[in-house]
Amino acid sequence: MHQNSRIEQVEEIIRRNSDMVYRLAFSMVKMQQDAEDVCQEVWMQYIRKMPTFESSEHEKAWFIRVTVNLC
């Protein structure tokens, strides 16, 4: 896969899940700065692992599980 297309794919996945990840993190940690820190760590884990998702439900479940674990 061409690097630019992979970067665009990663950006799209982050964009698609960022609101959900932030809301979930904030509901658990109750502080904006802490929720932002959790989000940053979620994105770093995603970039480090680069998992492939079988479906949009699998993608969403992965981000939920990682967010909950980090909280």
Side-chain angles (χ1 to χ4, degrees), residues 6 42-52 62 66:
R6 182 64 180 152
V42 168
W43 307 135
M44 293 305 296
Q45 282 201 25
Y46 170 69
I47 291 168
R48 271 188 234 116
K49 295 181 188 238
M50 296 303 265
T52 54
W62 189 92
V66 171

Side-chain angles (χ1 to χ4, degrees), residues 49-65:
K49 295 181 188 238
M50 296 303 265
T52 54
F53 303 113
E54 299 167 8
S55 65
S56 61
E57 292 83 12
H58 181 226
E59 177 183 300
K60 182 177 179 179
W62 189 92
F63 282 106
I64 289 170
R65 176 52 40 211

Side-chain angles (χ1 to χ4, degrees), residues 5-60:
S5 62
R6 182 64 180 152
I7 290 170
E8 290 170 5
Q9 181 183 17
V10 168
E11 288 173 346
E12 176 56 31
I13 288 172
I14 290 172
R15 223 182 340 269
R16 191 167 48 235
N17 292 284
S18 62
D19 189 53
M20 174 197 60
V21 168
Y22 177 79
R23 289 174 182 270
L24 177 58
F26 186 81
S27 74
M28 296 184 75
V29 298
K30 308 289 190 223
M31 294 184 64
Q32 179 182 354
Q33 185 62 46
D34 291 343
E36 290 170 357
D37 289 346
V38 169
C39 289
Q40 184 174 2
E41 188 56 35
V42 168
W43 307 135
M44 293 305 296
Q45 282 201 25
Y46 170 69
I47 291 168
R48 271 188 234 116
K49 295 181 188 238
M50 296 303 265
T52 54
F53 303 113
E54 299 167 8
S55 65
S56 61
E57 292 83 12
H58 181 226
E59 177 183 300
K60 182 177 179 179

